[in-house]
Amino acid sequence: MEMAADPELGRRVRTGAFETNVHDLGAGRPVLFIHGSGPGVSAYANWRLVMPVMARTRRVLAPDMVGFGFTDRFPAGTGPERYNMDTWVGQAIDLLDALDIERADVVGNSFGGALSLALAIRAPERVRRLVLMGSVGVPFPITPGLDAVWGYEASFENMRRIMDWFAYDRGLVTDELAQLRYEASARPGFQEAFGAMFPAPRQRWVDAMASPEAAIRALAHETLIVHGREDQVIPLQASLTLSGWIPNSQLHVFGHCGHWTQIEHAARFAQLVGNFLDEADAREQGMRDAH
């Protein structure tokens, strides 16, 4: 019998000094999806329910960021001096360059939201529209949930415990899912890299991911901000702050939803993001027709 391919494996693309594992689906306007920073996370684990829906009308790109999933890692012993926003923003730009993509819509989840925000600030010409979901990127006191997630040490019990922080619907947090995520986190090299990224005290990594307030207020991109009302990992206040600072922003709060908006409300999330991006397509087409 032939073994089924691992769905977490996409194509490998050279980005600077290393290779990135990236899912590349569909055709049309490119949308770059950037995952969060949970233990054992990958682009596929984060976006598996959303990618096929969005790929019906768009080109979906979902990379594993350096240190996560099946992208190359820095050598053992490397810490936050290399796993940082400069590295991850550089990787995102290198990926767009390698795929000959001049400009993409960008959707970022949590840690990926902070990265997407930094990308739009540092390379505004590469980003068309921005979606920030349960996003880091502004200062806030670290939550017990985020402290527990970043402080994870690989065991089934620890994975089961931290997954309770993620979902509002505890029915989603099964032993089977916890076992799968634990096994993902315990793959060779995974926990070593993850453990090196966010050593205690962890408030400093929230602060390090924050973009300057003046730069956020100067952001010209139309931005959709999405948050789960019951999120225990990233406080709703972070998105309220972002919506107050980003001039061209709108905020959508999902009730009965934790940190997993794209999983707990997958169909609604995909529709919301799709409508937001379609509106931009229609407006740009109207401007072209007017000329």
PDB file of all heavy atoms in Angstrom, residues 206-232:
ATOM      1  N   VAL A 206       5.997  39.840  23.831  1.00  0.00           N
ATOM      2  CA  VAL A 206       4.817  40.621  23.422  1.00  0.00           C
ATOM      3  C   VAL A 206       5.276  42.009  22.988  1.00  0.00           C
ATOM      4  O   VAL A 206       4.881  42.517  21.928  1.00  0.00           O
ATOM      5  CB  VAL A 206       3.801  40.751  24.583  1.00  0.00           C
ATOM      6  CG1 VAL A 206       2.644  41.672  24.187  1.00  0.00           C
ATOM      7  CG2 VAL A 206       3.257  39.382  24.992  1.00  0.00           C
ATOM      8  N   ASP A 207       6.123  42.631  23.802  1.00  0.00           N
ATOM      9  CA  ASP A 207       6.613  43.989  23.513  1.00  0.00           C
ATOM     10  C   ASP A 207       7.452  44.009  22.228  1.00  0.00           C
ATOM     11  O   ASP A 207       7.358  44.948  21.434  1.00  0.00           O
ATOM     12  CB  ASP A 207       7.442  44.511  24.686  1.00  0.00           C
ATOM     13  CG  ASP A 207       6.644  44.556  25.992  1.00  0.00           C
ATOM     14  OD1 ASP A 207       5.395  44.554  25.921  1.00  0.00           O
ATOM     15  OD2 ASP A 207       7.269  44.560  27.069  1.00  0.00           O
ATOM     16  N   ALA A 208       8.262  42.952  22.029  1.00  0.00           N
ATOM     17  CA  ALA A 208       9.132  42.910  20.845  1.00  0.00           C
ATOM     18  C   ALA A 208       8.334  42.780  19.554  1.00  0.00           C
ATOM     19  O   ALA A 208       8.793  43.198  18.482  1.00  0.00           O
ATOM     20  CB  ALA A 208      10.115  41.740  20.964  1.00  0.00           C
ATOM     21  N   MET A 209       7.143  42.197  19.635  1.00  0.00           N
ATOM     22  CA  MET A 209       6.307  42.020  18.439  1.00  0.00           C
ATOM     23  C   MET A 209       5.455  43.251  18.138  1.00  0.00           C
ATOM     24  O   MET A 209       4.792  43.307  17.099  1.00  0.00           O
ATOM     25  CB  MET A 209       5.399  40.800  18.608  1.00  0.00           C
ATOM     26  CG  MET A 209       6.144  39.491  18.507  1.00  0.00           C
ATOM     27  SD  MET A 209       4.984  38.111  18.569  1.00  0.00           S
ATOM     28  CE  MET A 209       6.157  36.772  18.801  1.00  0.00           C
ATOM     29  N   ALA A 210       5.428  44.209  19.049  1.00  0.00           N
ATOM     30  CA  ALA A 210       4.607  45.403  18.849  1.00  0.00           C
ATOM     31  C   ALA A 210       5.270  46.341  17.846  1.00  0.00           C
ATOM     32  O   ALA A 210       6.473  46.585  17.908  1.00  0.00           O
ATOM     33  CB  ALA A 210       4.386  46.114  20.175  1.00  0.00           C
ATOM     34  N   SER A 211       4.472  46.855  16.923  1.00  0.00           N
ATOM     35  CA  SER A 211       4.947  47.905  16.016  1.00  0.00           C
ATOM     36  C   SER A 211       4.725  49.263  16.674  1.00  0.00           C
ATOM     37  O   SER A 211       3.839  49.407  17.529  1.00  0.00           O
ATOM     38  CB  SER A 211       4.184  47.843  14.687  1.00  0.00           C
ATOM     39  OG  SER A 211       4.543  46.684  13.951  1.00  0.00           O
ATOM     40  N   PRO A 212       5.515  50.264  16.314  1.00  0.00           N
ATOM     41  CA  PRO A 212       5.360  51.586  16.931  1.00  0.00           C
ATOM     42  C   PRO A 212       3.964  52.166  16.670  1.00  0.00           C
ATOM     43  O   PRO A 212       3.431  52.060  15.564  1.00  0.00           O
ATOM     44  CB  PRO A 212       6.437  52.432  16.249  1.00  0.00           C
ATOM     45  CG  PRO A 212       7.415  51.449  15.689  1.00  0.00           C
ATOM     46  CD  PRO A 212       6.623  50.230  15.353  1.00  0.00           C
ATOM     47  N   GLU A 213       3.399  52.796  17.693  1.00  0.00           N
ATOM     48  CA  GLU A 213       2.050  53.362  17.557  1.00  0.00           C
ATOM     49  C   GLU A 213       1.964  54.332  16.379  1.00  0.00           C
ATOM     50  O   GLU A 213       1.001  54.292  15.600  1.00  0.00           O
ATOM     51  CB  GLU A 213       1.636  54.072  18.852  1.00  0.00           C
ATOM     52  CG  GLU A 213       0.266  54.702  18.772  1.00  0.00           C
ATOM     53  CD  GLU A 213      -0.174  55.396  20.052  1.00  0.00           C
ATOM     54  OE1 GLU A 213       0.472  55.196  21.105  1.00  0.00           O
ATOM     55  OE2 GLU A 213      -1.164  56.144  19.990  1.00  0.00           O
ATOM     56  N   ALA A 214       2.948  55.201  16.228  1.00  0.00           N
ATOM     57  CA  ALA A 214       2.912  56.192  15.139  1.00  0.00           C
ATOM     58  C   ALA A 214       2.882  55.509  13.776  1.00  0.00           C
ATOM     59  O   ALA A 214       2.191  55.962  12.850  1.00  0.00           O
ATOM     60  CB  ALA A 214       4.116  57.126  15.245  1.00  0.00           C
ATOM     61  N   ALA A 215       3.621  54.402  13.641  1.00  0.00           N
ATOM     62  CA  ALA A 215       3.649  53.674  12.363  1.00  0.00           C
ATOM     63  C   ALA A 215       2.304  53.004  12.087  1.00  0.00           C
ATOM     64  O   ALA A 215       1.837  52.961  10.938  1.00  0.00           O
ATOM     65  CB  ALA A 215       4.765  52.637  12.385  1.00  0.00           C
ATOM     66  N   ILE A 216       1.666  52.488  13.144  1.00  0.00           N
ATOM     67  CA  ILE A 216       0.342  51.867  12.962  1.00  0.00           C
ATOM     68  C   ILE A 216      -0.682  52.932  12.573  1.00  0.00           C
ATOM     69  O   ILE A 216      -1.499  52.732  11.678  1.00  0.00           O
ATOM     70  CB  ILE A 216      -0.093  51.134  14.254  1.00  0.00           C
ATOM     71  CG1 ILE A 216       0.880  49.984  14.574  1.00  0.00           C
ATOM     72  CG2 ILE A 216      -1.510  50.578  14.111  1.00  0.00           C
ATOM     73  CD1 ILE A 216       0.620  49.295  15.904  1.00  0.00           C
ATOM     74  N   ARG A 217      -0.628  54.078  13.239  1.00  0.00           N
ATOM     75  CA  ARG A 217      -1.579  55.159  12.931  1.00  0.00           C
ATOM     76  C   ARG A 217      -1.375  55.704  11.515  1.00  0.00           C
ATOM     77  O   ARG A 217      -2.312  56.251  10.919  1.00  0.00           O
ATOM     78  CB  ARG A 217      -1.418  56.292  13.949  1.00  0.00           C
ATOM     79  CG  ARG A 217      -1.954  55.943  15.344  1.00  0.00           C
ATOM     80  CD  ARG A 217      -1.871  57.148  16.272  1.00  0.00           C
ATOM     81  NE  ARG A 217      -2.368  56.869  17.609  1.00  0.00           N
ATOM     82  CZ  ARG A 217      -3.656  56.903  17.974  1.00  0.00           C
ATOM     83  NH1 ARG A 217      -4.585  57.203  17.075  1.00  0.00           N
ATOM     84  NH2 ARG A 217      -4.008  56.652  19.215  1.00  0.00           N
ATOM     85  N   ALA A 218      -0.169  55.559  10.978  1.00  0.00           N
ATOM     86  CA  ALA A 218       0.126  56.058   9.623  1.00  0.00           C
ATOM     87  C   ALA A 218      -0.199  55.039   8.532  1.00  0.00           C
ATOM     88  O   ALA A 218      -0.080  55.342   7.343  1.00  0.00           O
ATOM     89  CB  ALA A 218       1.600  56.446   9.540  1.00  0.00           C
ATOM     90  N   LEU A 219      -0.608  53.835   8.933  1.00  0.00           N
ATOM     91  CA  LEU A 219      -0.876  52.765   7.972  1.00  0.00           C
ATOM     92  C   LEU A 219      -2.035  53.151   7.050  1.00  0.00           C
ATOM     93  O   LEU A 219      -3.116  53.509   7.518  1.00  0.00           O
ATOM     94  CB  LEU A 219      -1.225  51.485   8.745  1.00  0.00           C
ATOM     95  CG  LEU A 219      -1.062  50.147   8.043  1.00  0.00           C
ATOM     96  CD1 LEU A 219       0.419  49.883   7.733  1.00  0.00           C
ATOM     97  CD2 LEU A 219      -1.613  49.025   8.920  1.00  0.00           C
ATOM     98  N   ALA A 220      -1.804  53.069   5.753  1.00  0.00           N
ATOM     99  CA  ALA A 220      -2.841  53.480   4.793  1.00  0.00           C
ATOM    100  C   ALA A 220      -3.714  52.315   4.345  1.00  0.00           C
ATOM    101  O   ALA A 220      -4.771  52.521   3.744  1.00  0.00           O
ATOM    102  CB  ALA A 220      -2.176  54.123   3.576  1.00  0.00           C
ATOM    103  N   HIS A 221      -3.302  51.073   4.614  1.00  0.00           N
ATOM    104  CA  HIS A 221      -4.002  49.899   4.092  1.00  0.00           C
ATOM    105  C   HIS A 221      -5.382  49.722   4.723  1.00  0.00           C
ATOM    106  O   HIS A 221      -5.549  49.921   5.935  1.00  0.00           O
ATOM    107  CB  HIS A 221      -3.181  48.636   4.369  1.00  0.00           C
ATOM    108  CG  HIS A 221      -1.819  48.660   3.773  1.00  0.00           C
ATOM    109  ND1 HIS A 221      -0.792  49.430   4.286  1.00  0.00           N
ATOM    110  CD2 HIS A 221      -1.303  48.014   2.703  1.00  0.00           C
ATOM    111  CE1 HIS A 221       0.300  49.251   3.549  1.00  0.00           C
ATOM    112  NE2 HIS A 221       0.015  48.404   2.590  1.00  0.00           N
ATOM    113  N   GLU A 222      -6.332  49.334   3.878  1.00  0.00           N
ATOM    114  CA  GLU A 222      -7.620  48.919   4.426  1.00  0.00           C
ATOM    115  C   GLU A 222      -7.402  47.622   5.194  1.00  0.00           C
ATOM    116  O   GLU A 222      -6.742  46.695   4.707  1.00  0.00           O
ATOM    117  CB  GLU A 222      -8.638  48.720   3.309  1.00  0.00           C
ATOM    118  CG  GLU A 222      -9.076  50.028   2.691  1.00  0.00           C
ATOM    119  CD  GLU A 222     -10.352  49.861   1.891  1.00  0.00           C
ATOM    120  OE1 GLU A 222     -11.332  49.322   2.436  1.00  0.00           O
ATOM    121  OE2 GLU A 222     -10.345  50.256   0.725  1.00  0.00           O
ATOM    122  N   THR A 223      -7.958  47.573   6.399  1.00  0.00           N
ATOM    123  CA  THR A 223      -7.651  46.479   7.322  1.00  0.00           C
ATOM    124  C   THR A 223      -8.924  45.938   7.950  1.00  0.00           C
ATOM    125  O   THR A 223      -9.757  46.701   8.442  1.00  0.00           O
ATOM    126  CB  THR A 223      -6.698  46.972   8.427  1.00  0.00           C
ATOM    127  OG1 THR A 223      -5.509  47.511   7.822  1.00  0.00           O
ATOM    128  CG2 THR A 223      -6.296  45.841   9.355  1.00  0.00           C
ATOM    129  N   LEU A 224      -9.062  44.625   7.918  1.00  0.00           N
ATOM    130  CA  LEU A 224     -10.136  43.933   8.629  1.00  0.00           C
ATOM    131  C   LEU A 224      -9.527  43.309   9.877  1.00  0.00           C
ATOM    132  O   LEU A 224      -8.561  42.539   9.788  1.00  0.00           O
ATOM    133  CB  LEU A 224     -10.746  42.846   7.741  1.00  0.00           C
ATOM    134  CG  LEU A 224     -11.737  41.883   8.418  1.00  0.00           C
ATOM    135  CD1 LEU A 224     -12.981  42.622   8.898  1.00  0.00           C
ATOM    136  CD2 LEU A 224     -12.118  40.753   7.449  1.00  0.00           C
ATOM    137  N   ILE A 225     -10.080  43.647  11.030  1.00  0.00           N
ATOM    138  CA  ILE A 225      -9.602  43.118  12.308  1.00  0.00           C
ATOM    139  C   ILE A 225     -10.670  42.157  12.834  1.00  0.00           C
ATOM    140  O   ILE A 225     -11.854  42.503  12.888  1.00  0.00           O
ATOM    141  CB  ILE A 225      -9.351  44.256  13.309  1.00  0.00           C
ATOM    142  CG1 ILE A 225      -8.329  45.257  12.726  1.00  0.00           C
ATOM    143  CG2 ILE A 225      -8.859  43.721  14.646  1.00  0.00           C
ATOM    144  CD1 ILE A 225      -8.301  46.586  13.451  1.00  0.00           C
ATOM    145  N   VAL A 226     -10.248  40.956  13.197  1.00  0.00           N
ATOM    146  CA  VAL A 226     -11.175  39.908  13.637  1.00  0.00           C
ATOM    147  C   VAL A 226     -10.715  39.390  14.992  1.00  0.00           C
ATOM    148  O   VAL A 226      -9.509  39.167  15.209  1.00  0.00           O
ATOM    149  CB  VAL A 226     -11.210  38.743  12.616  1.00  0.00           C
ATOM    150  CG1 VAL A 226     -12.204  37.675  13.041  1.00  0.00           C
ATOM    151  CG2 VAL A 226     -11.536  39.250  11.215  1.00  0.00           C
ATOM    152  N   HIS A 227     -11.679  39.186  15.904  1.00  0.00           N
ATOM    153  CA  HIS A 227     -11.307  38.671  17.232  1.00  0.00           C
ATOM    154  C   HIS A 227     -12.445  37.835  17.808  1.00  0.00           C
ATOM    155  O   HIS A 227     -13.616  38.106  17.534  1.00  0.00           O
ATOM    156  CB  HIS A 227     -10.983  39.830  18.184  1.00  0.00           C
ATOM    157  CG  HIS A 227      -9.893  39.528  19.159  1.00  0.00           C
ATOM    158  ND1 HIS A 227      -8.624  40.052  19.058  1.00  0.00           N
ATOM    159  CD2 HIS A 227      -9.861  38.723  20.259  1.00  0.00           C
ATOM    160  CE1 HIS A 227      -7.875  39.604  20.046  1.00  0.00           C
ATOM    161  NE2 HIS A 227      -8.602  38.791  20.792  1.00  0.00           N
ATOM    162  N   GLY A 228     -12.097  36.844  18.596  1.00  0.00           N
ATOM    163  CA  GLY A 228     -13.081  36.079  19.356  1.00  0.00           C
ATOM    164  C   GLY A 228     -13.343  36.762  20.692  1.00  0.00           C
ATOM    165  O   GLY A 228     -12.404  37.118  21.402  1.00  0.00           O
ATOM    166  N   ARG A 229     -14.606  36.950  21.012  1.00  0.00           N
ATOM    167  CA  ARG A 229     -14.950  37.687  22.236  1.00  0.00           C
ATOM    168  C   ARG A 229     -14.407  37.002  23.492  1.00  0.00           C
ATOM    169  O   ARG A 229     -14.004  37.659  24.456  1.00  0.00           O
ATOM    170  CB  ARG A 229     -16.476  37.808  22.324  1.00  0.00           C
ATOM    171  CG  ARG A 229     -16.976  38.688  23.460  1.00  0.00           C
ATOM    172  CD  ARG A 229     -18.497  38.746  23.460  1.00  0.00           C
ATOM    173  NE  ARG A 229     -19.084  37.422  23.685  1.00  0.00           N
ATOM    174  CZ  ARG A 229     -20.334  37.084  23.361  1.00  0.00           C
ATOM    175  NH1 ARG A 229     -21.123  37.964  22.750  1.00  0.00           N
ATOM    176  NH2 ARG A 229     -20.795  35.873  23.611  1.00  0.00           N
ATOM    177  N   GLU A 230     -14.367  35.667  23.472  1.00  0.00           N
ATOM    178  CA  GLU A 230     -13.919  34.926  24.658  1.00  0.00           C
ATOM    179  C   GLU A 230     -12.452  34.495  24.567  1.00  0.00           C
ATOM    180  O   GLU A 230     -12.031  33.583  25.279  1.00  0.00           O
ATOM    181  CB  GLU A 230     -14.820  33.699  24.885  1.00  0.00           C
ATOM    182  CG  GLU A 230     -16.201  34.024  25.437  1.00  0.00           C
ATOM    183  CD  GLU A 230     -17.197  34.518  24.383  1.00  0.00           C
ATOM    184  OE1 GLU A 230     -16.971  34.282  23.176  1.00  0.00           O
ATOM    185  OE2 GLU A 230     -18.196  35.142  24.765  1.00  0.00           O
ATOM    186  N   ASP A 231     -11.683  35.133  23.710  1.00  0.00           N
ATOM    187  CA  ASP A 231     -10.262  34.794  23.536  1.00  0.00           C
ATOM    188  C   ASP A 231      -9.514  34.951  24.862  1.00  0.00           C
ATOM    189  O   ASP A 231      -9.494  36.033  25.445  1.00  0.00           O
ATOM    190  CB  ASP A 231      -9.650  35.720  22.475  1.00  0.00           C
ATOM    191  CG  ASP A 231      -8.283  35.279  21.988  1.00  0.00           C
ATOM    192  OD1 ASP A 231      -7.575  34.600  22.745  1.00  0.00           O
ATOM    193  OD2 ASP A 231      -7.925  35.643  20.850  1.00  0.00           O
ATOM    194  N   GLN A 232      -8.880  33.861  25.320  1.00  0.00           N
ATOM    195  CA  GLN A 232      -8.104  33.898  26.564  1.00  0.00           C
ATOM    196  C   GLN A 232      -6.601  33.956  26.311  1.00  0.00           C
ATOM    197  O   GLN A 232      -5.817  33.960  27.269  1.00  0.00           O
ATOM    198  CB  GLN A 232      -8.402  32.648  27.411  1.00  0.00           C
ATOM    199  CG  GLN A 232      -9.836  32.543  27.891  1.00  0.00           C
ATOM    200  CD  GLN A 232     -10.005  31.357  28.811  1.00  0.00           C
ATOM    201  OE1 GLN A 232      -9.615  31.383  29.987  1.00  0.00           O
ATOM    202  NE2 GLN A 232     -10.564  30.284  28.280  1.00  0.00           N
TER     203      GLN A 232
END
